[in-house]
Amino acid sequence: MGIAELLLIITNIILGIGLGMPLSRFSHRTIDAQKSVYHYFRLCVFIYFIECAVVVMGMGTPVFSIPLALVWGLSLGFWLRKRTTPEQALKLSLLLSLYSCLPVVSFILVPIICAITGWDILSASQGYTFGIPDFLHLPWPLNTILGFYMALIVITLALKPLITTVTVRVLIHSYRRSMERTVAH
């Protein structure tokens, strides 16, 4: 195992645990005070572990991680619709979706480590040598080490929270509308 892999593992352990606890406390206050904070902490760490595994399966890309946002959105939407207000559910889904982006965000270490070890992170030829797919015909700077990883991070930070929160919003509002119709009849 190289230094980059070891740093990514250590970084993700720190991020998963360090930010999982505040998210757990918020979940505890928002959803169900009868469950312990550690119950929600275990859930957060489990979600983080799944996200890390999915990023590894995608060979360091969010190709599987972004569709997982729909899974989180559906799960949260069905789970939260009866347990909290729509505003709190949306806030929690946004926070959880940002938390689930961290394994991809941690890949900012790759260009940093490459630069420290002598790679030209703004060179297209170094990008192809590094392993950025040539068949994609990416324009500069996306075909560089820095550009490629920054694009992955930005796309993930844009799409995952959007997909998760929109899914939660749709499920909660459709549930609320169906409850209003039931009460009206």
Side-chain angles (χ1 to χ4, degrees):
M1 179 181 309
I3 187 83
E5 291 89 1
L6 185 60
L7 281 173
L8 282 169
I9 290 169
I10 291 169
T11 299
N12 278 296
I13 289 171
I14 292 168
L15 289 173
I17 293 172
L19 295 175
M21 188 50 79
L23 183 57
S24 304
R25 285 189 200 110
F26 180 77
S27 300
H28 174 72
R29 286 190 314 269
T30 303
I31 302 167
D32 185 2
Q34 294 176 0
K35 302 264 187 194
S36 73
V37 171
Y38 295 104
H39 169 78
Y40 294 110
F41 179 70
R42 287 188 302 270
L43 285 173
C44 288
V45 170
F46 178 70
I47 288 169
Y48 201 88
F49 173 77
I50 289 172
E51 288 288 342
C52 287
V54 165
V55 169
V56 170
M57 286 174 32
M59 297 178 358
T61 66
V63 68
F64 299 119
S65 180
I66 289 176
L68 197 53
L70 183 61
V71 173
W72 302 140
L74 290 169
S75 301
L76 285 169
F78 283 119
W79 186 52
L80 294 175
R81 65 187 182 172
K82 296 178 184 178
R83 288 179 170 79
T84 189
T85 66
E87 295 79 22
Q88 290 290 66
L90 290 173
K91 186 174 182 179
L92 181 58
S93 67
L94 176 63
L95 291 173
L96 184 65
S97 65
L98 290 170
Y99 177 74
S100 73
C101 291
L102 292 175
V104 173
V105 171
S106 72
F107 273 89
I108 193 61
L109 289 174
V110 173
I112 292 169
I113 292 168
C114 286
I116 290 170
T117 58
W119 288 79
D120 182 357
I121 60 172
L122 294 175
S123 163
S125 63
Q126 291 272 297
Y128 296 130
T129 302
F130 182 77
I132 295 171
D134 188 24
F135 65 87
L136 294 176
H137 304 294
L138 297 170
W140 191 90
L142 297 177
N143 60 357
T144 67
I145 297 169
L146 179 62
F148 185 75
Y149 280 98
M150 286 304 296
L152 292 178
I153 292 167
V154 168
I155 288 168
T156 300
L157 284 171
L159 291 180
K160 283 191 74 137
L162 178 70
I163 293 167
T164 303
T165 55
V166 166
T167 304
V168 168
R169 181 181 172 92
V170 167
L171 288 173
I172 287 176
H173 286 295
S174 67
Y175 174 74
R176 299 275 183 209
R177 275 187 254 126
S178 70
M179 292 304 294
E180 289 170 1
R181 280 189 222 122
T182 303
V183 170
H185 289 101

